[in-house]
């Protein structure tokens, strides 16, 4: 009996680490521009497709080759996100309507989903892990679950260092407080925002590549991932990577528990119930903070 719950816990934390990484990729863009990039789900699936393409090209690559392919996939998705970021931010340069990003990010998501459907068809792609299952607590755990946990910790450390210890990172953090004041102080706001889009692409691209063997790579699977990533973002607190790192596994364990006990079709319902419950208790999220604003 305890082994069943151990499986749920480990796999849930691994899956939740994927949600945490999606939330972190949301955060870096949100901090710099106030935009929630709803195309992140399809960018994540694109990262998984690059893993599928790598296996098709190299067969089962060696560990060294696989390790080298992670930054390649991350850079490819980062370039795509830079282009998307430019197109998303462009209307904001000439209009006071600050909600145009809702249309552009959703449009990009729909376009990418349609392209995926045309390229691969309606069937999901399967990627075989190059790593054997890992024996843990008397059971065997697929290695990508553990790799996702490690990747979440890695990107959390990198982001914390970048945003608090580098001048560029501090400048991006300053935009979250007041972008107008940042522009007045001489910050290259648009350049910093594009950099944030690129950084989010590195996060989401590497996540999709590493987690490819344990995710569904299909044209219609992005919605579930972006939804759970958004739930982790809100529960943890918008702009808080610490909150994302903690809330992601919580959502993942709850989703995995729902799958084992009542069926996978109830994953989304369980995630939304958790979201509603947390917001009723703490609307700003676990690690979110309220801010006073003069009007």
């Amino acid at each position: 009996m305890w082994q069943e719950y151990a499986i749920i816990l480990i796999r849930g934390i691994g899956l939740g680490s994927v949600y945490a990484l999606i939330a972190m990729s949301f955060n870096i863009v949100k901090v710099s521009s106030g935009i929630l990039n709803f195309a992140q789900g399809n960018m994540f699936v694109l990262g998984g497709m690059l893993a599928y393409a790598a296996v098709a090209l190299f067969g089962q690559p060696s560990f060294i080759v696989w390790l080298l392919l992670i930054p390649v996939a991350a850079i490819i998705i980062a370039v795509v996100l830079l282009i998307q970021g430019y197109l998303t931010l462009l209307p904001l340069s000439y209009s006071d309507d600050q909600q145009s990003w809702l249309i552009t990010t959703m449009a990009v998501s729909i376009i990418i989903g349609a392209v995926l459907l045309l390229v691969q068809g309606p069937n999901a792609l399967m990627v075989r892990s190059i790593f054997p299952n890992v024996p843990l607590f008397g059971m065997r755990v697929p290695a990508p679950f553990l790799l996702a946990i490690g990747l979440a910790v890695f990107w959390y450390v990198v982001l914390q260092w970048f945003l608090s210890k580098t001048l560029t990172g501090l400048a991006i953090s300053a935009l979250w407080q007041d972008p107008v004041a940042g522009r007045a102080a001489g910050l290259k706001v648009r350049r910093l925002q594009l950099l944030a889009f690129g950084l989010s692409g590195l996060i989401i691209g590497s996540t999709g590549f590493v987690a490819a063997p344990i995710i569904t790579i299909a044209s219609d699977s992005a919605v579930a991932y972006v939804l759970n990533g958004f739930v982790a973002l809100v529960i943890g607190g918008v702009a808080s990577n610490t909150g994302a790192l903690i809330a992601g596994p919580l959502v993942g364990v709850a989703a995995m528990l729902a799958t084992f006990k009542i069926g996978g079709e109830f994953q989304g319902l369980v995630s939304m119930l958790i979201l509603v419950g947390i917001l009723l208790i703490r609307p700003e999220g676990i690690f979110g903070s309220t801010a006073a604003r003069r009007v």
Side-chain angles (χ1 to χ4, degrees):
M1 185 67 176
W2 70 269
Q3 287 186 325
E4 177 182 335
Y5 286 102
I7 292 173
I8 292 172
L9 183 63
I10 294 172
R11 293 192 177 206
I13 293 175
L15 183 62
S17 296
V18 172
Y19 301 153
L21 285 158
I22 295 173
M24 290 182 204
S25 71
F26 269 129
N27 271 335
I28 187 67
V29 174
K30 179 68 175 175
V31 165
S32 68
S33 60
I35 291 172
L36 284 172
N37 185 14
F38 291 109
Q40 293 293 83
N42 276 309
M43 298 296 179
F44 171 68
V45 174
L46 278 178
M49 284 199 70
L50 290 176
Y52 178 84
V55 171
L57 183 62
F58 296 100
Q60 285 297 104
S62 65
F63 172 74
I64 298 299
V65 173
W66 179 86
L67 203 60
L68 293 174
L69 286 173
I70 295 176
V72 173
I75 291 171
I76 291 173
I77 301 301
V79 170
V80 175
L81 261 164
L82 276 172
I83 297 171
Q84 186 229 329
Y86 177 79
L87 296 175
T88 300
L89 293 166
L90 189 61
L92 303 183
S93 301
Y94 306 100
S95 171
D96 291 329
D97 180 14
Q98 296 298 302
Q99 307 305 318
S100 64
W101 58 266
L102 281 168
I103 298 174
T104 53
T105 59
M106 288 182 181
V108 169
S109 180
I110 292 170
I111 291 170
I112 293 176
V115 171
L116 290 176
L117 181 61
L118 290 173
V119 171
Q120 75 175 67
N123 298 322
L125 301 176
M126 302 297 295
V127 178
R128 183 179 176 184
S129 175
I130 69 168
F131 303 101
N133 292 341
V134 179
L136 197 63
F137 302 120
M139 56 187 176
R140 302 187 70 82
V141 179
F145 284 107
L146 303 178
L147 292 171
I149 296 172
L151 188 65
V153 174
F154 168 79
W155 274 117
Y156 171 77
V157 172
V158 169
L159 286 174
Q160 291 297 99
W161 169 81
F162 175 72
L163 292 173
S164 62
K165 301 298 183 181
T166 68
L167 289 177
T168 303
L170 289 170
I172 290 176
S173 298
L175 296 181
W176 176 243
Q177 301 297 323
D178 194 333
V180 176
R183 182 178 286 107
L187 295 180
K188 304 293 184 182
V189 173
R190 193 63 79 219
R191 188 178 301 173
L192 290 170
Q193 290 171 338
L194 286 174
L195 176 62
F197 269 91
L199 185 54
S200 75
L202 293 177
I203 297 170
I204 207 71
S206 60
T207 304
F209 190 92
V210 170
I214 59 172
I215 65 173
T216 303
I217 304 173
S219 58
D220 59 351
S221 63
V223 175
Y225 293 115
V226 78
L227 174 63
N228 282 296
F230 178 74
V231 169
L233 170 75
V234 176
I235 290 176
V238 176
S240 172
N241 289 324
T242 301
L245 187 66
I246 294 174
L250 290 177
V251 175
V253 171
M256 196 62 67
L257 186 63
T259 299
F260 271 76
K261 295 298 183 181
I262 57 178
E265 64 270 19
F266 293 99
Q267 277 192 15
L269 174 61
V270 171
S271 298
M272 295 308 297
L273 288 175
I274 295 173
L275 175 62
V276 171
I278 293 293
L279 291 181
L280 285 174
I281 300 170
R282 188 172 172 82
E284 65 273 19
I286 298 174
F287 286 88
S289 59
T290 56
R293 182 180 180 185
R294 180 177 295 176
V295 296

